[in-house]
Amino acid sequence: MKPEDLARKYAKELWANEIMLLAYYIACVNIETTYQSIMLAASSEHELEDMPYVPFPGATLTDTFQITEEGDRADTSLMPVNNERIEAQLAKPIRVIVGNPPYSAGQSSANDNNQNLKYPTLDRRIADTYALHSTATNKNSLYDSYIRAFRWASDRIEEHGVVAFVSNNGWVDGNTADGLRKCIAKEFSDIWVYNLRGNQRTAGEQLRREGGKVFGSGARTGVAVFVAVKRADAEDECRLHYYEVPDYQSAEVKLSTLNEASLATVNWRNLTPNDAGDWVSQRDERFATYPALTGQGLSYFTSSSRGLETTRDAWCYNFSAEKVASNMQRMIDVYNAEAARGVSTEAELESDPQLIKWSSSLSSRALRGQRHEFDHDGGREVLYRPFSRQRAYLDRVFVHRPGKNFEYFPTPEHENWVLYVPGAGSSAPPFFTLSSSSLIDLGACGISSAISYPRYRYEQVHETHGSFDFGGDIDEHGYRKIDNITDEILAHYVKHFGPYVTKDDIFAYVYAVLHSPQYRETFKADLKRSLPRIPLAASAEDFRAFVTAGQELLDLHLHYESIDPYPLHVTSTVEFTTDEYELYRVEKMKWADKGTKMKLVVNSRITLRDFPAEVHEYMLGARSAVDWLIDRYQVKIDKASGIVNDPNDWAREHDDPSYIVDLIRRVTRVSVNTVRIANSLPHLPL
């Protein structure tokens, strides 16, 4: 650009917004000194003597989204010059927008009293476009600040211009962002996406494949560079150009390569979106033809539910039954004191996280003045993480979202088992499934969305007119057991595989198919976006093989605490002590060799060696089953509440000093056998 053109741009056509005061001043200095250096380099020695330092007139201290809100502009009355700049900016046609939009989807805790800002005009545009065309059930993430930036920028350049962002890359292949992808493919004529990956919200092999974090330790999200062009006269469909950095690439290599990249030199891959709005990993049309686990039409289960969501896990869960009862009694006392105060707003409630953990459901009860007493029968055992049970305090008041789970396990005496899978569009790595014979936590495998499908459900029968409803067997607790497998799916399987098929067979068959490596690989893209659908086996013989395998898997996963431990080599570095609990006590286990993971240091006294390779193949979410144990069985202190959760308490309260070491050996056996069974499953006719 010629100096005289740059001078015009600088004085009249360049704008920069910043809401944080320090960042605003830094931006001004950077822009002004850069402009000064360019102009000095282009000047003669004579001109140099007379060149003044020119302040940048296009900088505004403002909230970019707020200044375009209809009837609700940012308050700039105390800064007239700044206000004049905002009005001048709004009056100008903008053709190029460049930025690194902020990333924020919501406050981390109801105790924060720091709800995200609302932008009614902008959010209405998102609702009418990105959200309207999204198939996701929960669309809250579409109001994340960086998604708002996409919507705002696309509208601001109107029918002609360029948008260039460095942003979170979750929108590129995420389920909720399907509506966003559909819209921007219609609004722009050319789009380039340079995906730098680096998503740190994964673990294990998936984390290693994501490579280095582009923005260092301060960021956990993946990153993508987005460049999009609007042409008012464009007639052809949008041309999508995509590049993804290779697996395992370090941040240094990513940035070095990016430094040399241009739109002309990158080896772009041309994408053709499907009707569902998939760009990169596209769904298989066959998947939708199979029966769903639940839903309209032919399906497997009559009922399903999200896992338990307490929103106050540190309080509701603990390895010690005694401690969880004490913690909850203490919190309930604080809750009742707050309910009795008669305050009218959430901001007035006690917010000290060492005293109480609020959620929207609990604070609304307190504001209504509702008291709730500690329930001495509220203690239950829950599968909190894979093969890791904890004691829990559960009732419908202090569990934020219990779902239908109390229909599946109404009392500790009611037997049942559930299949647990990632929810539609969850952020999970490759698909997985798990079974449980007890209540299971929503985040059992480290994901934000999960669904449980029970074998049975229980209906409480209430006494009416002095007598019970005897329309079925009623147990001593007043519940009727109801089969959760549909009659329609049973008839479907009987038709294909013979009259001896039972509903137990179908339950086991589904569990086996969900473990099939062929099924998971073929429908990888579908399982990222949708709940599972189950195809039929090729023959009655194959069906029976799946049923047998499924029952073996259920026996392994439901009864993991009673199977024979795997013969790992156990070594001790000190002589045996008479205090067995001290001998087996854990603080934080770790792999002695992170590369091969063959040797696990339990504590300073005990080491487990010679783990088989299958241990690291059996993945549940982002971690292997054994890695989940290593993560969970350590002494942890919750930062907010100060509550200590010590896994050694479980061993003491169950009178089993070697429980944790034996659990690792047993789950090693579970892992080896699960991989063997899954790899031996028959071929599906996909």
Side-chain angles (χ1 to χ4, degrees):
M1 188 180 293
K2 296 177 181 179
E4 57 270 25
D5 293 327
L6 179 59
R8 184 190 75 254
K9 281 282 184 191
Y10 186 79
K12 299 180 180 179
E13 299 177 15
L14 186 64
W15 305 91
N17 297 343
E18 179 54 63
I19 187 60
M20 302 300 291
L21 186 60
L22 179 59
Y24 167 81
Y25 283 122
I26 292 173
C28 289
V29 170
N30 284 339
I31 294 168
E32 290 165 0
T33 55
T34 301
Y35 172 74
Q36 189 81 357
S37 65
I38 292 173
M39 297 303 284
L40 286 172
S43 302
S44 65
E45 186 174 337
H46 175 71
E47 293 172 325
L48 192 62
E49 297 175 359
D50 301 322
M51 180 167 290
Y53 186 89
V54 182
F56 176 51
T60 57
L61 181 66
T62 191
D63 179 338
T64 302
F65 299 157
Q66 191 69 52
I67 62 174
T68 53
E69 284 293 297
E70 295 174 2
D72 187 25
R73 297 278 185 83
D75 183 6
T76 57
S77 58
L78 298 179
M79 297 179 288
V81 173
N82 193 64
N83 189 55
E84 290 172 5
R85 292 181 178 183
I86 291 172
E87 295 301 329
Q89 179 191 134
L90 292 173
K92 291 284 186 178
I94 299 296
R95 292 290 172 257
V96 178
I97 297 175
V98 179
N100 173 207
Y103 169 63
S104 174
Q107 65 176 12
S108 61
S109 169
N111 285 43
D112 293 346
N113 287 325
N114 185 29
Q115 294 285 350
N116 285 358
L117 292 173
K118 303 293 185 183
Y119 302 97
T121 304
L122 179 56
D123 291 350
R124 188 164 56 249
R125 283 287 295 144
I126 291 174
D128 292 341
T129 54
Y130 301 164
L132 178 66
H133 295 286
S134 173
T135 57
T137 303
N138 186 340
K139 304 181 184 184
N140 291 343
S141 61
L142 290 176
Y143 300 89
D144 187 298
S145 295
Y146 89 93
I147 298 293
R148 283 170 166 161
F150 276 75
R151 182 67 274 163
W152 176 88
S154 182
D155 290 341
R156 187 65 177 88
I157 62 172
E158 298 180 339
E159 298 301 318
H160 189 83
V162 178
V163 175
F165 283 157
V166 177
S167 79
N168 180 326
N169 69 357
W171 68 272
V172 175
D173 208 32
N175 181 64
T176 308
D178 57 350
L180 180 150
R181 292 190 297 271
K182 292 174 188 175
C183 289
I184 63 176
K186 291 182 179 296
E187 294 170 9
F188 292 94
S189 54
D190 281 276
I191 295 174
W192 291 264
V193 179
Y194 192 105
N195 191 351
L196 290 156
R197 305 175 70 186
N199 182 6
Q200 300 298 299
R201 288 188 167 90
T202 57
E205 185 61 21
Q206 178 64 26
L207 174 61
R208 289 186 284 275
R209 283 198 295 266
E210 287 286 318
K213 296 179 284 188
V214 174
F215 289 118
S217 59
R220 297 185 63 202
T221 59
V223 174
V225 179
F226 168 83
V227 179
V229 176
K230 271 189 185 182
R231 293 187 177 90
D233 58 352
E235 296 180 357
D236 297 332
E237 292 185 352
C238 179
R239 293 180 290 253
L240 295 174
H241 317 275
Y242 180 77
Y243 176 79
E244 182 175 290
V245 299
D247 289 349
Y248 310 110
Q249 201 170 78
S250 69
E252 292 75 20
V253 172
K254 291 178 183 180
L255 293 173
S256 175
T257 305
L258 184 62
N259 194 47
E260 303 299 324
S262 72
L263 297 185
T265 60
V266 172
N267 186 23
W268 300 104
R269 168 184 162 197
N270 294 324
L271 301 179
T272 302
N274 61 17
D275 293 339
D278 302 333
W279 286 10
V280 182
S281 53
Q282 299 192 359
R283 282 166 265 200
D284 191 310
E285 293 180 356
R286 295 169 295 176
F287 189 76
T289 66
Y290 305 135
L293 293 184
T294 55
Q296 295 180 342
L298 186 63
S299 61
Y300 286 83
F301 298 97
T302 61
S303 177
S304 64
S305 178
R306 298 172 83 243
L308 287 167
E309 182 183 4
T310 74
T311 73
R312 52 185 63 83
D313 287 6
W315 297 86
C316 288
Y317 291 115
N318 203 285
F319 280 108
S320 167
E322 180 182 338
K323 289 179 181 177
V324 75
S326 173
N327 291 334
M328 286 303 302
Q329 178 71 75
R330 179 164 56 92
M331 194 189 87
I332 291 172
D333 289 344
V334 173
Y335 165 82
N336 283 328
E338 291 302 291
R341 287 203 300 126
V343 299
S344 57
T345 66
E346 290 185 10
E348 297 174 87
L349 293 171
E350 173 62 66
S351 60
D352 186 344
Q354 293 189 333
L355 299 178
I356 193 167
K357 174 66 165 62
W358 294 106
S359 60
S360 58
S361 60
L362 191 62
S363 59
S364 62
R365 292 174 186 271
L367 295 177
R368 292 195 298 269
Q370 296 178 357
R371 287 181 55 83
H372 295 285
E373 299 304 319
F374 178 80
D375 182 1
H376 291 277
D377 296 323
R380 303 284 290 273
E381 287 187 0
V382 173
L383 191 71
Y384 184 62
R385 294 293 181 265
F387 309 108
S388 175
R389 290 188 296 146
Q390 291 197 33
R391 193 68 178 175
Y393 178 88
L394 302 178
D395 66 15
R396 296 180 183 275
V397 175
F398 293 95
V399 173
H400 178 53
R401 291 189 176 126
K404 302 176 186 175
N405 291 283
F406 292 132
E407 295 179 19
Y408 308 155
F409 299 94
T411 73
E413 287 73 35
H414 283 90
E415 182 184 52
N416 208 348
W417 42 96
V418 298
L419 306 184
Y420 171 97
V421 301
S426 74
S427 57
F431 180 82
F432 65 90
T433 185
L434 184 62
S435 58
S436 174
S437 57
S438 65
L439 289 157
I440 187 167
D441 186 74
L442 173 68
C445 292
I447 55 179
S448 59
S449 174
I451 306 294
S452 294
Y453 300 91
R455 178 65 186 86
Y456 301 100
R457 58 189 177 89
Y458 291 88
E459 178 183 67
Q460 188 170 22
V461 181
H462 298 282
E463 186 177 1
T464 57
H465 304 295
S467 63
F468 280 106
D469 173 6
F470 290 100
D473 293 335
I474 301 171
D475 62 28
E476 65 271 27
H477 304 286
Y479 288 89
R480 180 189 294 118
K481 188 177 184 178
I482 302 172
D483 204 306
N484 196 42
I485 302 288
T486 67
D487 293 335
E488 292 78 12
I489 203 69
L490 176 61
H492 184 63
Y493 273 74
V494 166
K495 176 182 176 182
H496 283 84
F497 302 124
Y500 300 106
V501 175
T502 68
K503 290 186 175 181
D504 282 339
D505 290 340
I506 293 173
F507 193 83
Y509 174 81
V510 169
Y511 198 51
V513 169
L514 294 177
H515 278 85
S516 164
Q518 176 204 6
Y519 172 81
R520 293 182 179 187
E521 180 59 30
T522 302
F523 300 118
K524 179 168 57 178
D526 300 86
L527 292 168
K528 283 180 63 176
R529 295 174 169 87
S530 308
L531 290 169
R533 290 175 171 269
I534 308 298
L536 292 175
S539 65
E541 182 180 2
D542 281 357
F543 170 73
R544 191 52 56 186
F546 271 105
V547 171
T548 300
Q551 191 56 60
E552 290 179 4
L553 290 167
L554 286 167
D555 289 342
L556 271 174
H557 300 160
L558 296 175
H559 309 299
Y560 66 91
E561 289 178 302
S562 60
I563 65 174
D564 291 336
Y566 190 87
L568 294 171
H569 185 210
V570 183
T571 60
S572 178
T573 58
V574 297
E575 293 183 2
F576 181 77
T577 173
T578 55
D579 186 349
E580 285 192 273
Y581 289 103
E582 186 60 29
L583 173 67
Y584 289 105
R585 177 176 176 79
V586 300
E587 291 289 338
K588 185 175 182 178
M589 296 182 284
K590 62 180 180 180
W591 293 108
D593 48 347
K594 291 186 178 180
T596 59
K597 293 187 176 181
M598 295 287 288
K599 182 169 66 174
L600 178 65
V601 178
V602 176
N603 55 32
S604 62
R605 299 165 296 281
I606 296 175
T607 300
L608 300 177
R609 302 173 182 270
D610 303 326
F611 282 84
E614 292 88 345
V615 161
H616 310 301
E617 294 178 33
Y618 179 40
M619 300 294 292
L620 291 162
R623 293 187 174 100
S624 70
V626 169
D627 277 330
W628 275 115
L629 299 185
I630 294 169
D631 171 76
R632 189 47 41 189
Y633 285 87
Q634 58 176 291
V635 179
K636 292 190 175 184
I637 302 175
D638 181 62
K639 291 181 179 179
S641 65
I643 292 174
V644 178
N645 196 4
D646 186 344
N648 301 287
D649 291 338
W650 182 276
R652 286 188 179 276
E653 292 185 5
H654 287 78
D655 195 24
D656 187 357
S658 63
Y659 176 85
I660 297 172
V661 168
D662 290 340
L663 179 63
I664 293 168
R665 297 169 65 209
R666 287 188 167 106
V667 172
T668 298
R669 172 82 69 186
V670 168
S671 301
V672 170
N673 289 0
T674 299
V675 171
R676 174 185 57 79
I677 294 169
N679 288 338
S680 66
L681 289 169
H683 192 79
L684 289 163
L686 305 179

